[in-house]
Amino acid sequence: MAGQENKIVELEITALSHSVSQSQNYAIVLGELEGNRRLPIVIGGYEAQAIAVVLERMTPNRPLTHDLFKNALSSFGIEIKEIVINNLVDGIFYSQLICEKDGEVLKIDSRTSDALALAVRFDCPIYTYEFIMEAAGVVLDESEEEAAQKVEKKEEPAKPFSNYSVQELEAMLQKVLEEENYEKAARIRDEINRRK
């Protein structure tokens, strides 16, 4: 049975939303590629924004910290090949960046939120172990998953974006990009794209 606990599980990001339990934080939900379990992880707003920027294919006016880190690693010929969420202690997830430079493999400890922000930038796989999925994973049936996606999309401004003209939306989009509010920018961009 000990060998089964060390079994590796590949994950993908399935959702990013406000944390129900902690208002200042977000929840990123990782789903196993070959199964129906989900691994929810609470992360800070800054890290959530750093992940959302890449998932929404947005280009910030200035490089974010994770962009800087990726550029620095790449400049020195270091590639992140994968990230591994390798431990869970007292509700805190621990991760490692598995890097490669000139054929040599390097392991670097990381906060899980930072590791995920880098994983989306390097487009590398995300793994964890079976014992972590057993301890913290949840199984969602399809109706619960659809409900979770609907809750995730509820957050709208006092005046819905549909009430603005395309020109007003484009001006608003430019303003929120300057404020580096990429989450709101993604919603505005989606509304503009719906009209085109």
Side-chain angles (χ1 to χ4, degrees):
M1 192 67 164
Q4 190 70 349
E5 287 183 352
N6 291 334
K7 180 184 168 206
I8 201 97
V9 178
E10 186 169 0
L11 304 168
E12 65 181 345
I13 296 172
T14 60
L16 178 62
S17 62
H18 265 101
S19 171
V20 176
S21 60
Q22 301 177 25
S23 62
Q24 297 299 314
N25 291 319
Y26 289 75
I28 188 161
V29 181
L30 304 172
E32 61 182 336
L33 287 184
E34 296 182 13
N36 61 350
R37 292 178 296 178
R38 302 289 181 261
L39 186 64
I41 299 175
V42 174
I43 63 173
Y46 177 79
E47 292 81 6
Q49 186 177 48
I51 293 167
V53 163
V54 177
L55 294 179
E56 296 291 338
R57 295 178 182 84
M58 302 177 80
T59 306
N61 291 341
R62 302 173 299 153
L64 301 176
T65 304
H66 295 93
D67 298 320
L68 171 65
F69 195 68
K70 178 191 188 294
N71 294 341
L73 288 176
S74 296
S75 295
F76 289 105
I78 301 170
E79 283 293 312
I80 297 178
K81 300 311 242 178
E82 62 190 48
I83 71 153
V84 178
I85 301 168
N86 63 341
N87 208 354
L88 173 63
V89 179
D90 297 328
I92 298 170
F93 293 92
Y94 293 82
S95 294
Q96 285 186 323
L97 310 174
I98 310 302
C99 306
E100 185 178 340
K101 177 177 172 49
D102 300 329
E104 181 184 354
V105 175
L106 311 162
K107 294 180 181 181
I108 302 171
D109 290 332
S110 171
R111 293 186 316 163
T112 299
S113 54
D114 291 326
L116 293 170
L118 288 166
V120 296
R121 283 166 172 76
F122 279 91
D123 194 25
C124 67
I126 303 164
Y127 297 103
T128 193
Y129 293 107
E130 183 61 34
F131 79 90
I132 292 174
M133 292 303 290
E134 286 181 13
V138 294
V139 178
L140 290 183
D141 65 32
E142 287 181 26
S143 61
E144 287 175 324
E145 197 165 339
E146 289 168 10
Q149 288 172 353
K150 286 178 187 169
V151 168
E152 181 185 332
K153 294 178 183 175
K154 273 188 182 177
E155 189 187 319
E156 290 296 330
K159 181 178 175 185
F161 292 133
S162 57
N163 292 351
Y164 292 95
S165 70
V166 172
Q167 293 80 8
E168 289 172 318
L169 288 170
E170 287 173 348
M172 192 185 309
L173 178 62
Q174 189 60 41
K175 183 173 186 253
V176 296
L177 283 172
E178 288 169 7
E179 294 169 354
E180 299 182 358
N181 184 346
Y182 301 112
E183 189 178 344
K184 186 173 182 181
R187 293 195 310 268
I188 295 169
R189 191 212 54 226
D190 290 345
E191 177 64 28
I192 293 170
N193 289 341
R194 270 195 288 276
R195 310 245 187 121
K196 291 183 178 174

